[in-house]
Amino acid sequence: FSEEIPARMQQRASADLQRLVTEALVEEGLTYAHAKAFATPRRLTLAIEGLLAESPAISEERKGPRTDAPEKALEGFQRSTGLTKDDHEARSDKKGEVWFATINKPGRPAAKIVAEVLETAVRNFPWPKSMRWGNGTLKWVRPLHAILCVLSDNGEAETVALRIDDIASGNTTYGHRFMAPDAITVSSFEDYEAKLKRAHVILSPEERAETIQHDAAQAAFAQGLEVVEDKGLLAEVAGLVEWPVVLMGA
């Protein structure tokens, strides 16, 4: 949730958010069923469904140097595995006795992984242009005000804890700047989307564009006129407002 994102950057930014987060989650072993990103002038949103509750435990076997190799070779192998000599096993190989190591990585809870992935995505976000504000080091397209991060499972909501500079994550966002500026507490994506709409924020850019196109055509028809089609202008205006209201001048 931030100050106004330029309309021309919103579509690319929502795609980048989805790509950065989902690819990093999968790398950490957290698979998911479906993901969709949204953008309004003041927010980027990513909804992920079917996320695993934790990453699976992994057991990896790694082959090391021969048992009669120099001590430094064994020390290098120990550093790479994070294990001690006692944890390594000597086995017969076609070239003689060789050290083997079994590395067991326990699973980690989703909240821990999501927090790490999201912080990395925010700090390294590929905006065409970004800015710093105040005394912080964080860069964003415009000043970033809040981060909402919630894991929801069968009605149970968990706020994912993370802090990026002086911004701590929470379970609140804000509605339309003038029509419903108060804080909104949410427990799931469905709750978020519904409460935003009641607070005069249409999350979907496509829905905002359809509203503008339909209402403009209706207003023009009532005056015996037709709207001049301009898809680029329609997309831009849909990126300038969170709650489109069509007016006709005279």
Side-chain angles (χ1 to χ4, degrees), residues 112-158:
K112 180 78 172 172
I113 297 173
V114 168
E116 293 171 1
V117 164
L118 187 57
E119 177 170 0
T120 300
V122 170
R123 289 194 181 280
N124 299 286
F125 206 83
W127 292 107
K129 288 184 178 181
S130 58
M131 62 179 287
R132 288 192 296 112
W133 58 96
N135 296 319
T137 59
L138 180 64
K139 289 185 177 181
W140 200 246
V141 63
R142 294 291 184 270
L144 187 61
H145 290 307
I147 297 170
L148 182 153
C149 192
V150 172
L151 289 178
S152 180
D153 184 19
N154 293 323
E156 294 292 322
E158 175 188 0

mmCIF file of all heavy atoms in Angstrom, residues 112-158:
data_model
loop_
_atom_site.group_PDB
_atom_site.id
_atom_site.type_symbol
_atom_site.label_atom_id
_atom_site.label_comp_id
_atom_site.label_asym_id
_atom_site.label_seq_id
_atom_site.Cartn_x
_atom_site.Cartn_y
_atom_site.Cartn_z
ATOM 1 N N LYS A 112 7.463 -18.439 7.774
ATOM 2 C CA LYS A 112 8.883 -18.075 7.811
ATOM 3 C C LYS A 112 9.417 -17.856 6.391
ATOM 4 O O LYS A 112 10.120 -16.875 6.110
ATOM 5 C CB LYS A 112 9.656 -19.186 8.509
ATOM 6 C CG LYS A 112 11.144 -18.964 8.625
ATOM 7 C CD LYS A 112 11.483 -18.011 9.734
ATOM 8 C CE LYS A 112 12.995 -17.946 9.959
ATOM 9 N NZ LYS A 112 13.362 -16.891 10.916
ATOM 10 N N ILE A 113 9.063 -18.755 5.488
ATOM 11 C CA ILE A 113 9.546 -18.661 4.108
ATOM 12 C C ILE A 113 8.921 -17.469 3.400
ATOM 13 O O ILE A 113 9.600 -16.710 2.703
ATOM 14 C CB ILE A 113 9.238 -19.973 3.353
ATOM 15 C CG1 ILE A 113 10.003 -21.135 3.999
ATOM 16 C CG2 ILE A 113 9.599 -19.850 1.882
ATOM 17 C CD1 ILE A 113 9.643 -22.493 3.450
ATOM 18 N N VAL A 114 7.609 -17.278 3.582
ATOM 19 C CA VAL A 114 6.916 -16.157 2.942
ATOM 20 C C VAL A 114 7.526 -14.824 3.372
ATOM 21 O O VAL A 114 7.732 -13.923 2.552
ATOM 22 C CB VAL A 114 5.405 -16.189 3.264
ATOM 23 C CG1 VAL A 114 4.730 -14.876 2.860
ATOM 24 C CG2 VAL A 114 4.737 -17.360 2.544
ATOM 25 N N ALA A 115 7.833 -14.690 4.667
ATOM 26 C CA ALA A 115 8.419 -13.444 5.164
ATOM 27 C C ALA A 115 9.747 -13.152 4.485
ATOM 28 O O ALA A 115 10.011 -12.023 4.050
ATOM 29 C CB ALA A 115 8.603 -13.526 6.681
ATOM 30 N N GLU A 116 10.597 -14.173 4.355
ATOM 31 C CA GLU A 116 11.903 -13.985 3.724
ATOM 32 C C GLU A 116 11.753 -13.637 2.252
ATOM 33 O O GLU A 116 12.414 -12.728 1.732
ATOM 34 C CB GLU A 116 12.740 -15.255 3.879
ATOM 35 C CG GLU A 116 13.142 -15.570 5.307
ATOM 36 C CD GLU A 116 13.787 -16.936 5.439
ATOM 37 O OE1 GLU A 116 13.931 -17.636 4.406
ATOM 38 O OE2 GLU A 116 14.151 -17.316 6.574
ATOM 39 N N VAL A 117 10.865 -14.370 1.569
ATOM 40 C CA VAL A 117 10.665 -14.166 0.125
ATOM 41 C C VAL A 117 10.105 -12.780 -0.150
ATOM 42 O O VAL A 117 10.550 -12.078 -1.075
ATOM 43 C CB VAL A 117 9.736 -15.269 -0.425
ATOM 44 C CG1 VAL A 117 9.191 -14.895 -1.803
ATOM 45 C CG2 VAL A 117 10.475 -16.599 -0.486
ATOM 46 N N LEU A 118 9.128 -12.354 0.654
ATOM 47 C CA LEU A 118 8.492 -11.061 0.421
ATOM 48 C C LEU A 118 9.471 -9.911 0.666
ATOM 49 O O LEU A 118 9.515 -8.942 -0.098
ATOM 50 C CB LEU A 118 7.258 -10.907 1.309
ATOM 51 C CG LEU A 118 6.411 -9.662 1.044
ATOM 52 C CD1 LEU A 118 5.953 -9.604 -0.400
ATOM 53 C CD2 LEU A 118 5.211 -9.627 1.977
ATOM 54 N N GLU A 119 10.269 -10.021 1.725
ATOM 55 C CA GLU A 119 11.239 -8.953 1.985
ATOM 56 C C GLU A 119 12.243 -8.831 0.841
ATOM 57 O O GLU A 119 12.560 -7.727 0.393
ATOM 58 C CB GLU A 119 11.987 -9.200 3.296
ATOM 59 C CG GLU A 119 13.042 -8.132 3.549
ATOM 60 C CD GLU A 119 13.661 -8.166 4.926
ATOM 61 O OE1 GLU A 119 13.287 -9.035 5.728
ATOM 62 O OE2 GLU A 119 14.517 -7.303 5.196
ATOM 63 N N THR A 120 12.726 -9.973 0.345
ATOM 64 C CA THR A 120 13.664 -9.948 -0.779
ATOM 65 C C THR A 120 13.018 -9.323 -2.019
ATOM 66 O O THR A 120 13.634 -8.514 -2.720
ATOM 67 C CB THR A 120 14.139 -11.377 -1.108
ATOM 68 O OG1 THR A 120 14.795 -11.922 0.040
ATOM 69 C CG2 THR A 120 15.114 -11.386 -2.273
ATOM 70 N N ALA A 121 11.745 -9.676 -2.274
ATOM 71 C CA ALA A 121 11.042 -9.136 -3.438
ATOM 72 C C ALA A 121 10.875 -7.621 -3.333
ATOM 73 O O ALA A 121 11.099 -6.892 -4.299
ATOM 74 C CB ALA A 121 9.678 -9.816 -3.588
ATOM 75 N N VAL A 122 10.493 -7.141 -2.145
ATOM 76 C CA VAL A 122 10.291 -5.701 -1.964
ATOM 77 C C VAL A 122 11.608 -4.945 -2.114
ATOM 78 O O VAL A 122 11.683 -3.917 -2.791
ATOM 79 C CB VAL A 122 9.647 -5.420 -0.588
ATOM 80 C CG1 VAL A 122 9.653 -3.924 -0.291
ATOM 81 C CG2 VAL A 122 8.210 -5.951 -0.561
ATOM 82 N N ARG A 123 12.654 -5.468 -1.498
ATOM 83 C CA ARG A 123 13.947 -4.758 -1.525
ATOM 84 C C ARG A 123 14.594 -4.761 -2.911
ATOM 85 O O ARG A 123 15.414 -3.896 -3.228
ATOM 86 C CB ARG A 123 14.901 -5.360 -0.497
ATOM 87 C CG ARG A 123 14.512 -5.066 0.946
ATOM 88 C CD ARG A 123 15.635 -5.382 1.904
ATOM 89 N NE ARG A 123 15.287 -5.128 3.295
ATOM 90 C CZ ARG A 123 15.309 -3.918 3.865
ATOM 91 N NH1 ARG A 123 15.661 -2.861 3.163
ATOM 92 N NH2 ARG A 123 14.978 -3.784 5.141
ATOM 93 N N ASN A 124 14.248 -5.738 -3.740
ATOM 94 C CA ASN A 124 14.883 -5.856 -5.061
ATOM 95 C C ASN A 124 13.883 -5.686 -6.202
ATOM 96 O O ASN A 124 14.105 -6.183 -7.299
ATOM 97 C CB ASN A 124 15.582 -7.216 -5.178
ATOM 98 C CG ASN A 124 16.667 -7.399 -4.143
ATOM 99 O OD1 ASN A 124 17.738 -6.823 -4.239
ATOM 100 N ND2 ASN A 124 16.384 -8.218 -3.135
ATOM 101 N N PHE A 125 12.797 -4.962 -5.941
ATOM 102 C CA PHE A 125 11.735 -4.858 -6.941
ATOM 103 C C PHE A 125 12.211 -4.054 -8.156
ATOM 104 O O PHE A 125 12.781 -2.974 -7.998
ATOM 105 C CB PHE A 125 10.496 -4.194 -6.334
ATOM 106 C CG PHE A 125 9.232 -4.590 -7.039
ATOM 107 C CD1 PHE A 125 8.584 -5.765 -6.719
ATOM 108 C CD2 PHE A 125 8.703 -3.795 -8.041
ATOM 109 C CE1 PHE A 125 7.418 -6.145 -7.366
ATOM 110 C CE2 PHE A 125 7.543 -4.160 -8.703
ATOM 111 C CZ PHE A 125 6.896 -5.345 -8.363
ATOM 112 N N PRO A 126 11.974 -4.566 -9.374
ATOM 113 C CA PRO A 126 12.532 -3.933 -10.582
ATOM 114 C C PRO A 126 11.672 -2.788 -11.143
ATOM 115 O O PRO A 126 11.239 -2.826 -12.299
ATOM 116 C CB PRO A 126 12.602 -5.099 -11.575
ATOM 117 C CG PRO A 126 11.436 -5.971 -11.199
ATOM 118 C CD PRO A 126 11.315 -5.870 -9.696
ATOM 119 N N TRP A 127 11.426 -1.761 -10.339
ATOM 120 C CA TRP A 127 10.696 -0.601 -10.856
ATOM 121 C C TRP A 127 11.536 0.098 -11.938
ATOM 122 O O TRP A 127 12.755 0.207 -11.789
ATOM 123 C CB TRP A 127 10.428 0.398 -9.739
ATOM 124 C CG TRP A 127 9.461 -0.049 -8.694
ATOM 125 C CD1 TRP A 127 9.763 -0.416 -7.413
ATOM 126 C CD2 TRP A 127 8.040 -0.176 -8.826
ATOM 127 N NE1 TRP A 127 8.615 -0.762 -6.740
ATOM 128 C CE2 TRP A 127 7.544 -0.626 -7.584
ATOM 129 C CE3 TRP A 127 7.148 0.037 -9.882
ATOM 130 C CZ2 TRP A 127 6.191 -0.856 -7.362
ATOM 131 C CZ3 TRP A 127 5.798 -0.189 -9.665
ATOM 132 C CH2 TRP A 127 5.331 -0.641 -8.421
ATOM 133 N N PRO A 128 10.899 0.612 -13.001
ATOM 134 C CA PRO A 128 11.661 1.389 -13.997
ATOM 135 C C PRO A 128 12.314 2.617 -13.360
ATOM 136 O O PRO A 128 13.425 2.996 -13.713
ATOM 137 C CB PRO A 128 10.601 1.810 -15.021
ATOM 138 C CG PRO A 128 9.480 0.851 -14.840
ATOM 139 C CD PRO A 128 9.486 0.461 -13.396
ATOM 140 N N LYS A 129 11.611 3.221 -12.412
ATOM 141 C CA LYS A 129 12.148 4.328 -11.615
ATOM 142 C C LYS A 129 11.672 4.134 -10.186
ATOM 143 O O LYS A 129 10.537 3.730 -9.961
ATOM 144 C CB LYS A 129 11.650 5.686 -12.136
ATOM 145 C CG LYS A 129 12.249 6.114 -13.457
ATOM 146 C CD LYS A 129 11.778 7.505 -13.825
ATOM 147 C CE LYS A 129 12.417 7.967 -15.133
ATOM 148 N NZ LYS A 129 11.977 9.337 -15.491
ATOM 149 N N SER A 130 12.538 4.432 -9.218
ATOM 150 C CA SER A 130 12.139 4.323 -7.817
ATOM 151 C C SER A 130 12.722 5.491 -7.042
ATOM 152 O O SER A 130 13.537 6.254 -7.572
ATOM 153 C CB SER A 130 12.601 2.989 -7.221
ATOM 154 O OG SER A 130 14.006 2.857 -7.331
ATOM 155 N N MET A 131 12.293 5.633 -5.783
ATOM 156 C CA MET A 131 12.724 6.775 -4.990
ATOM 157 C C MET A 131 12.938 6.363 -3.537
ATOM 158 O O MET A 131 12.427 5.344 -3.086
ATOM 159 C CB MET A 131 11.673 7.891 -5.064
ATOM 160 C CG MET A 131 10.306 7.494 -4.508
ATOM 161 S SD MET A 131 9.078 8.815 -4.557
ATOM 162 C CE MET A 131 9.673 9.885 -3.260
ATOM 163 N N ARG A 132 13.738 7.150 -2.834
ATOM 164 C CA ARG A 132 13.861 7.030 -1.389
ATOM 165 C C ARG A 132 13.149 8.219 -0.763
ATOM 166 O O ARG A 132 12.979 9.254 -1.399
ATOM 167 C CB ARG A 132 15.328 7.012 -0.964
ATOM 168 C CG ARG A 132 16.040 5.726 -1.331
ATOM 169 C CD ARG A 132 17.403 5.591 -0.650
ATOM 170 N NE ARG A 132 18.335 6.629 -1.072
ATOM 171 C CZ ARG A 132 18.774 7.596 -0.288
ATOM 172 N NH1 ARG A 132 18.349 7.688 0.970
ATOM 173 N NH2 ARG A 132 19.628 8.484 -0.740
ATOM 174 N N TRP A 133 12.732 8.070 0.488
ATOM 175 C CA TRP A 133 12.034 9.163 1.162
ATOM 176 C C TRP A 133 12.437 9.159 2.636
ATOM 177 O O TRP A 133 12.875 8.144 3.169
ATOM 178 C CB TRP A 133 10.514 9.014 1.012
ATOM 179 C CG TRP A 133 9.994 7.720 1.545
ATOM 180 C CD1 TRP A 133 9.462 7.467 2.785
ATOM 181 C CD2 TRP A 133 9.981 6.454 0.857
ATOM 182 N NE1 TRP A 133 9.122 6.141 2.915
ATOM 183 C CE2 TRP A 133 9.426 5.493 1.753
ATOM 184 C CE3 TRP A 133 10.377 6.031 -0.417
ATOM 185 C CZ2 TRP A 133 9.266 4.161 1.396
ATOM 186 C CZ3 TRP A 133 10.219 4.703 -0.752
ATOM 187 C CH2 TRP A 133 9.663 3.786 0.139
ATOM 188 N N GLY A 134 12.297 10.277 3.285
ATOM 189 C CA GLY A 134 12.677 10.365 4.692
ATOM 190 C C GLY A 134 14.141 10.011 4.881
ATOM 191 O O GLY A 134 14.990 10.344 4.058
ATOM 192 N N ASN A 135 14.434 9.285 5.960
ATOM 193 C CA ASN A 135 15.811 8.894 6.261
ATOM 194 C C ASN A 135 16.077 7.420 5.978
ATOM 195 O O ASN A 135 17.146 6.905 6.313
ATOM 196 C CB ASN A 135 16.120 9.176 7.742
ATOM 197 C CG ASN A 135 16.047 10.658 8.060
ATOM 198 O OD1 ASN A 135 16.502 11.484 7.276
ATOM 199 N ND2 ASN A 135 15.460 10.996 9.206
ATOM 200 N N GLY A 136 15.108 6.718 5.383
ATOM 201 C CA GLY A 136 15.263 5.277 5.165
ATOM 202 C C GLY A 136 16.127 4.945 3.965
ATOM 203 O O GLY A 136 16.474 5.802 3.155
ATOM 204 N N THR A 137 16.453 3.661 3.839
ATOM 205 C CA THR A 137 17.248 3.169 2.716
ATOM 206 C C THR A 137 16.374 2.474 1.671
ATOM 207 O O THR A 137 16.822 2.200 0.571
ATOM 208 C CB THR A 137 18.310 2.171 3.206
ATOM 209 O OG1 THR A 137 17.649 1.078 3.871
ATOM 210 C CG2 THR A 137 19.265 2.836 4.185
ATOM 211 N N LEU A 138 15.127 2.163 2.048
ATOM 212 C CA LEU A 138 14.235 1.436 1.150
ATOM 213 C C LEU A 138 13.898 2.268 -0.075
ATOM 214 O O LEU A 138 13.683 3.476 0.020
ATOM 215 C CB LEU A 138 12.944 1.066 1.893
ATOM 216 C CG LEU A 138 11.885 0.287 1.104
ATOM 217 C CD1 LEU A 138 12.415 -1.077 0.703
ATOM 218 C CD2 LEU A 138 10.623 0.132 1.944
ATOM 219 N N LYS A 139 13.845 1.611 -1.238
ATOM 220 C CA LYS A 139 13.428 2.274 -2.476
ATOM 221 C C LYS A 139 12.132 1.638 -2.962
ATOM 222 O O LYS A 139 11.974 0.419 -2.924
ATOM 223 C CB LYS A 139 14.512 2.127 -3.557
ATOM 224 C CG LYS A 139 15.757 2.946 -3.296
ATOM 225 C CD LYS A 139 16.717 2.829 -4.478
ATOM 226 C CE LYS A 139 17.945 3.702 -4.277
ATOM 227 N NZ LYS A 139 18.871 3.622 -5.428
ATOM 228 N N TRP A 140 11.218 2.473 -3.407
ATOM 229 C CA TRP A 140 9.951 2.002 -3.977
ATOM 230 C C TRP A 140 9.537 3.039 -5.003
ATOM 231 O O TRP A 140 10.108 4.137 -5.047
ATOM 232 C CB TRP A 140 8.898 1.841 -2.883
ATOM 233 C CG TRP A 140 7.725 0.946 -3.238
ATOM 234 C CD1 TRP A 140 6.430 1.311 -3.395
ATOM 235 C CD2 TRP A 140 7.760 -0.462 -3.466
ATOM 236 N NE1 TRP A 140 5.646 0.219 -3.693
ATOM 237 C CE2 TRP A 140 6.448 -0.888 -3.752
ATOM 238 C CE3 TRP A 140 8.787 -1.416 -3.472
ATOM 239 C CZ2 TRP A 140 6.117 -2.215 -4.037
ATOM 240 C CZ3 TRP A 140 8.466 -2.733 -3.747
ATOM 241 C CH2 TRP A 140 7.147 -3.121 -4.025
ATOM 242 N N VAL A 141 8.562 2.705 -5.823
ATOM 243 C CA VAL A 141 8.182 3.642 -6.884
ATOM 244 C C VAL A 141 7.685 4.967 -6.320
ATOM 245 O O VAL A 141 7.946 6.044 -6.859
ATOM 246 C CB VAL A 141 7.138 2.994 -7.817
ATOM 247 C CG1 VAL A 141 5.855 2.665 -7.058
ATOM 248 C CG2 VAL A 141 6.839 3.883 -9.022
ATOM 249 N N ARG A 142 6.950 4.895 -5.216
ATOM 250 C CA ARG A 142 6.490 6.056 -4.449
ATOM 251 C C ARG A 142 6.536 5.639 -2.974
ATOM 252 O O ARG A 142 6.607 4.441 -2.687
ATOM 253 C CB ARG A 142 5.048 6.445 -4.836
ATOM 254 C CG ARG A 142 4.875 6.946 -6.267
ATOM 255 C CD ARG A 142 5.525 8.302 -6.474
ATOM 256 N NE ARG A 142 5.281 8.824 -7.821
ATOM 257 C CZ ARG A 142 6.057 8.610 -8.883
ATOM 258 N NH1 ARG A 142 7.129 7.839 -8.750
ATOM 259 N NH2 ARG A 142 5.773 9.117 -10.058
ATOM 260 N N PRO A 143 6.471 6.548 -2.019
ATOM 261 C CA PRO A 143 6.586 6.135 -0.617
ATOM 262 C C PRO A 143 5.638 4.989 -0.246
ATOM 263 O O PRO A 143 4.432 5.053 -0.483
ATOM 264 C CB PRO A 143 6.247 7.421 0.140
ATOM 265 C CG PRO A 143 6.754 8.496 -0.767
ATOM 266 C CD PRO A 143 6.442 8.021 -2.156
ATOM 267 N N LEU A 144 6.231 3.948 0.337
ATOM 268 C CA LEU A 144 5.489 2.757 0.758
ATOM 269 C C LEU A 144 4.998 2.968 2.184
ATOM 270 O O LEU A 144 5.773 3.350 3.062
ATOM 271 C CB LEU A 144 6.420 1.546 0.666
ATOM 272 C CG LEU A 144 5.846 0.164 0.907
ATOM 273 C CD1 LEU A 144 4.758 -0.164 -0.108
ATOM 274 C CD2 LEU A 144 6.964 -0.884 0.824
ATOM 275 N N HIS A 145 3.711 2.738 2.429
ATOM 276 C CA HIS A 145 3.125 3.019 3.741
ATOM 277 C C HIS A 145 2.837 1.774 4.573
ATOM 278 O O HIS A 145 2.944 1.819 5.799
ATOM 279 C CB HIS A 145 1.812 3.799 3.571
ATOM 280 C CG HIS A 145 1.994 5.192 3.092
ATOM 281 N ND1 HIS A 145 2.835 6.086 3.711
ATOM 282 C CD2 HIS A 145 1.442 5.866 2.033
ATOM 283 C CE1 HIS A 145 2.796 7.248 3.066
ATOM 284 N NE2 HIS A 145 1.967 7.135 2.043
ATOM 285 N N ALA A 146 2.428 0.691 3.941
ATOM 286 C CA ALA A 146 2.007 -0.478 4.711
ATOM 287 C C ALA A 146 2.184 -1.752 3.900
ATOM 288 O O ALA A 146 2.145 -1.738 2.668
ATOM 289 C CB ALA A 146 0.540 -0.333 5.133
ATOM 290 N N ILE A 147 2.396 -2.861 4.619
ATOM 291 C CA ILE A 147 2.493 -4.186 4.002
ATOM 292 C C ILE A 147 1.513 -5.099 4.730
ATOM 293 O O ILE A 147 1.606 -5.286 5.944
ATOM 294 C CB ILE A 147 3.918 -4.762 4.117
ATOM 295 C CG1 ILE A 147 4.908 -3.877 3.350
ATOM 296 C CG2 ILE A 147 3.968 -6.192 3.590
ATOM 297 C CD1 ILE A 147 6.363 -4.228 3.601
ATOM 298 N N LEU A 148 0.566 -5.644 3.999
ATOM 299 C CA LEU A 148 -0.394 -6.591 4.550
ATOM 300 C C LEU A 148 0.034 -7.986 4.104
ATOM 301 O O LEU A 148 0.221 -8.226 2.909
ATOM 302 C CB LEU A 148 -1.797 -6.272 4.035
ATOM 303 C CG LEU A 148 -2.952 -7.138 4.542
ATOM 304 C CD1 LEU A 148 -4.255 -6.346 4.507
ATOM 305 C CD2 LEU A 148 -3.135 -8.404 3.723
ATOM 306 N N CYS A 149 0.219 -8.891 5.061
ATOM 307 C CA CYS A 149 0.628 -10.259 4.707
ATOM 308 C C CYS A 149 -0.072 -11.241 5.646
ATOM 309 O O CYS A 149 0.230 -11.292 6.840
ATOM 310 C CB CYS A 149 2.145 -10.388 4.799
ATOM 311 S SG CYS A 149 2.756 -11.915 4.049
ATOM 312 N N VAL A 150 -0.990 -12.011 5.097
ATOM 313 C CA VAL A 150 -1.819 -12.911 5.907
ATOM 314 C C VAL A 150 -1.849 -14.298 5.273
ATOM 315 O O VAL A 150 -2.005 -14.430 4.058
ATOM 316 C CB VAL A 150 -3.264 -12.355 6.012
ATOM 317 C CG1 VAL A 150 -4.175 -13.367 6.684
ATOM 318 C CG2 VAL A 150 -3.280 -11.048 6.783
ATOM 319 N N LEU A 151 -1.691 -15.323 6.102
ATOM 320 C CA LEU A 151 -1.930 -16.706 5.689
ATOM 321 C C LEU A 151 -3.267 -17.139 6.272
ATOM 322 O O LEU A 151 -3.487 -17.013 7.482
ATOM 323 C CB LEU A 151 -0.823 -17.622 6.200
ATOM 324 C CG LEU A 151 0.550 -17.482 5.546
ATOM 325 C CD1 LEU A 151 1.547 -18.430 6.217
ATOM 326 C CD2 LEU A 151 0.492 -17.761 4.061
ATOM 327 N N SER A 152 -4.145 -17.636 5.416
ATOM 328 C CA SER A 152 -5.490 -18.005 5.848
ATOM 329 C C SER A 152 -5.732 -19.483 5.572
ATOM 330 O O SER A 152 -5.445 -19.969 4.468
ATOM 331 C CB SER A 152 -6.521 -17.152 5.097
ATOM 332 O OG SER A 152 -7.824 -17.480 5.493
ATOM 333 N N ASP A 153 -6.251 -20.194 6.577
ATOM 334 C CA ASP A 153 -6.498 -21.625 6.416
ATOM 335 C C ASP A 153 -7.784 -22.002 7.153
ATOM 336 O O ASP A 153 -7.824 -21.980 8.390
ATOM 337 C CB ASP A 153 -5.309 -22.422 6.965
ATOM 338 C CG ASP A 153 -5.467 -23.917 6.734
ATOM 339 O OD1 ASP A 153 -6.278 -24.308 5.866
ATOM 340 O OD2 ASP A 153 -4.790 -24.694 7.421
ATOM 341 N N ASN A 154 -8.816 -22.322 6.384
ATOM 342 C CA ASN A 154 -10.104 -22.739 6.968
ATOM 343 C C ASN A 154 -10.610 -21.768 8.030
ATOM 344 O O ASN A 154 -11.025 -22.164 9.126
ATOM 345 C CB ASN A 154 -9.976 -24.143 7.574
ATOM 346 C CG ASN A 154 -9.749 -25.205 6.525
ATOM 347 O OD1 ASN A 154 -10.297 -25.135 5.433
ATOM 348 N ND2 ASN A 154 -8.916 -26.192 6.844
ATOM 349 N N GLY A 155 -10.560 -20.486 7.698
ATOM 350 C CA GLY A 155 -11.078 -19.471 8.601
ATOM 351 C C GLY A 155 -10.087 -18.988 9.637
ATOM 352 O O GLY A 155 -10.336 -17.989 10.317
ATOM 353 N N GLU A 156 -8.968 -19.693 9.799
ATOM 354 C CA GLU A 156 -7.930 -19.273 10.738
ATOM 355 C C GLU A 156 -6.925 -18.390 10.002
ATOM 356 O O GLU A 156 -6.360 -18.797 8.988
ATOM 357 C CB GLU A 156 -7.214 -20.494 11.328
ATOM 358 C CG GLU A 156 -8.092 -21.370 12.208
ATOM 359 C CD GLU A 156 -8.495 -20.686 13.502
ATOM 360 O OE1 GLU A 156 -7.652 -19.974 14.073
ATOM 361 O OE2 GLU A 156 -9.651 -20.851 13.918
ATOM 362 N N ALA A 157 -6.705 -17.174 10.511
ATOM 363 C CA ALA A 157 -5.802 -16.234 9.843
ATOM 364 C C ALA A 157 -4.553 -16.020 10.689
ATOM 365 O O ALA A 157 -4.641 -15.816 11.903
ATOM 366 C CB ALA A 157 -6.505 -14.905 9.596
ATOM 367 N N GLU A 158 -3.405 -16.058 10.033
ATOM 368 C CA GLU A 158 -2.122 -15.795 10.692
ATOM 369 C C GLU A 158 -1.449 -14.624 9.986
ATOM 370 O O GLU A 158 -1.251 -14.647 8.772
ATOM 371 C CB GLU A 158 -1.221 -17.035 10.607
ATOM 372 C CG GLU A 158 0.179 -16.805 11.159
ATOM 373 C CD GLU A 158 1.119 -17.971 10.904
ATOM 374 O OE1 GLU A 158 0.689 -18.967 10.288
ATOM 375 O OE2 GLU A 158 2.291 -17.880 11.311
#
